[in-house]
Amino acid sequence: MPKKWKGRLEDICSADNAEFAYKEARRTTKNKKGYWVRYYAKEEHRKQLCDRIMQGRYRPKPCRVFIFYEPNSKKTRVIEAPHFETKLVEHMITAIYWQAILRFLHPHCCASVVNRGIEYIRKLAKRWSRLPKKQKKYYVKGDIKKFFPSIDKQVALNVYQRHIGDTRVIGLIDLLMPHDVGQPLGNTLVQSTANLTLTAFDYECQKFTKHYMRYMDDFVLMFSNKRKAQKFITYIKPWVKENIKLEIKTEGSCAIQIWQWKKKALDIAGYITSYGGYQKIRRKTYLKIRNLLKLDSFSLHQAYSLVSLRGWVAHSSCSKLSDAVERKIQEKRLISIVSKGARKQCQELLKPTMIQ
């Protein structure tokens, strides 16, 4: 039996934890002057919420549903933005169990984890390029098919049940998962649930090679020969379907395949890493930066874009492009434009609402 994580429903509903969770929920909310943000700023209202949870009377409020279009992948995603009260409850849960969850996750699970973002995985790919030639001949790259819409609620709850001893907490988490199959994007607890669901997959992959990384549902494994890579693919496809009720893509551009690193550079998390360790940004990102560099005048949105993309280029091996971006930012004083724009937006949020 695995060791249970420390934390009971009383810890989740404590006044200190509710106050900490409120600050976190408010920090991640755009409209910081909204009614429910101001409502739960008062300790007495947070106490009432905790009492409802303790007595089993809490029911999540309905989410705000909207469709988001991703121009890069040309996909539409259904986003279910949780009510502030729901977000607060989720932060109360994660505040208690986050450290235990972090210890449980695979060390190379690199998404929605503090200090394990894109930069972490870029450095890891760079480190792989320094491996002896015998160890880095082939890599397998794959993707989970429709990951978030396919997460099985019972599989996720089973993971929580193995590690959380308080059945009342399990019941609360159950309430916060609205669908039997599929977890809503935009939900705070979903990121932890998604990583926990794939943790068994992570450790199963590590049985075949110690060189493994995952960025949300994209995974890469390094092998010394093609036979080992083929053996892994043959084994993992049915394992994923049987054990975590998901499916690995077998068709399309993201289908699971074996590549020879010398012939095909490793592409993950926005960076393309060559066999020798040279790292460049993806073509779409490069074209976007090039078009921004041609501009003589910048709107606030364009200034935001170039300033935010500066970090991507600076961490790559594209030194000339990085210098060109830096010169443009200095020449057009884009940092000043962005800071003034942010200040203006902040002032608009703080304006008192006009009562007619």
Side-chain angles (χ1 to χ4, degrees):
M1 284 291 292
K3 189 177 179 182
K4 299 292 184 183
W5 296 338
K6 290 181 181 178
R8 303 175 72 243
L9 193 63
E10 286 80 4
D11 301 317
I12 290 170
C13 295
S14 67
D16 291 341
N17 188 55
E19 184 182 358
F20 173 79
Y22 169 77
K23 289 176 182 177
E24 286 296 303
R26 185 179 182 276
R27 183 178 60 82
T28 56
T29 300
K30 284 186 178 180
N31 185 8
K32 292 179 172 50
K33 294 294 177 180
Y35 171 77
W36 290 103
V37 179
R38 288 183 283 111
Y39 180 83
Y40 281 112
K42 295 181 180 178
E43 187 178 353
E44 59 189 272
H45 293 155
R46 294 197 298 269
K47 188 177 184 304
Q48 289 170 6
L49 173 64
C50 291
D51 290 341
R52 279 194 287 139
I53 294 170
M54 289 296 299
Q55 294 164 14
R57 294 186 292 109
Y58 169 75
R59 293 296 178 273
K61 294 186 184 293
C63 298
R64 181 170 59 89
V65 181
F66 60 94
I67 295 172
F68 176 74
Y69 176 72
E70 290 184 346
N72 289 339
S73 58
K74 296 180 181 179
K75 292 179 181 177
T76 55
R77 295 185 186 273
V78 178
I79 308 295
E80 296 183 33
H83 191 277
F84 183 78
E85 182 185 89
T86 308
K87 188 183 284 190
L88 173 57
V89 174
E90 289 175 347
H91 277 287
M92 286 165 65
I93 295 169
T94 52
I96 295 298
Y97 295 114
W98 176 242
Q99 289 301 321
I101 290 171
L102 194 60
R103 287 193 295 270
F104 178 68
L105 295 178
H106 190 276
H108 292 164
C109 155
C110 308
S112 305
V113 182
V114 179
N115 298 325
R116 283 201 226 158
I118 291 171
E119 181 60 11
Y120 182 94
I121 209 164
R122 182 195 70 80
K123 287 180 178 178
L124 187 59
K126 186 87 171 177
R127 209 180 311 146
W128 281 11
S129 69
R130 300 192 190 105
L131 289 170
K133 291 180 180 180
K134 289 182 180 179
Q135 293 182 21
K136 60 173 186 175
K137 284 186 177 181
Y138 295 92
Y139 69 87
V140 172
K141 187 174 185 292
D143 193 359
I144 304 293
K145 187 177 180 181
K146 295 181 180 178
F147 177 48
F148 282 100
S150 303
I151 295 174
D152 189 271
K153 180 180 180 177
Q154 195 53 52
V155 171
L157 280 176
N158 287 344
V159 179
Y160 283 115
Q161 285 169 351
R162 282 198 296 272
H163 296 280
I164 298 174
D166 195 333
T167 55
R168 297 170 298 171
V169 178
I170 301 298
L172 180 60
I173 294 171
D174 191 0
L175 283 174
L176 295 168
M177 293 184 185
H179 312 300
D180 290 335
V181 177
Q183 295 302 315
L185 286 167
N187 199 308
T188 311
L189 193 64
V190 164
Q191 305 299 331
S192 298
T193 302
N195 277 326
L196 286 170
T197 304
L198 286 180
T199 298
F201 170 77
D202 295 338
Y203 285 105
E204 198 67 26
C205 290
Q206 200 178 29
K207 291 177 182 178
F208 290 83
T209 175
K210 61 181 179 180
H211 303 300
Y212 167 79
M213 67 169 85
R214 175 171 64 81
Y215 184 72
M216 195 45 75
D217 59 341
D218 295 336
F219 57 91
V220 179
L221 299 92
M222 193 66 62
F223 292 95
S224 57
N225 61 66
K226 200 170 184 178
R227 181 181 55 80
K228 289 181 180 178
Q230 287 171 337
K231 185 180 177 182
F232 164 76
I233 293 174
T234 306
Y235 172 83
I236 207 66
K237 285 181 186 177
W239 186 94
V240 167
K241 198 173 282 188
E242 183 183 342
N243 290 273
I244 55 176
K245 296 184 181 178
L246 293 171
E247 195 175 338
I248 293 175
K249 284 184 183 176
T250 54
E251 295 178 353
S253 57
C254 297
I256 187 167
Q257 290 185 59
I258 303 169
W259 302 98
Q260 191 173 350
W261 200 359
K262 272 188 177 180
K263 295 180 180 179
K264 173 79 173 177
L266 175 60
D267 183 354
I268 189 167
Y271 288 96
I272 299 171
T273 308
S274 69
Y275 181 80
Y278 182 86
Q279 289 183 316
K280 61 181 182 179
I281 54 178
R282 284 176 179 163
R283 180 172 172 77
K284 284 182 180 178
T285 312
Y286 167 75
L287 292 174
K288 185 177 180 180
I289 293 170
R290 193 183 67 175
N291 291 334
L292 287 169
L293 290 174
K294 290 178 182 178
L295 297 175
D296 290 325
S297 59
F298 286 79
S299 67
L300 180 60
H301 176 73
Q302 289 166 338
Y304 270 126
S305 295
L306 192 59
V307 170
S308 64
L309 289 168
R310 175 177 64 167
W312 285 77
V313 187
H315 289 110
S316 71
S317 303
C318 310
S319 55
K320 289 184 180 179
L321 184 63
S322 179
D323 292 342
V325 170
E326 198 63 44
R327 280 197 304 271
K328 198 73 170 181
I329 289 171
Q330 296 294 334
E331 180 189 334
K332 299 296 180 181
R333 298 180 180 177
L334 297 186
I335 303 265
S336 176
I337 293 171
V338 168
S339 61
K340 284 178 183 177
R343 202 178 308 126
K344 186 179 178 182
Q345 288 175 1
C346 185
Q347 287 169 355
E348 286 175 0
L349 283 172
L350 294 173
K351 280 181 184 176
T353 53
M354 299 296 291
I355 301 172
Q356 296 182 353

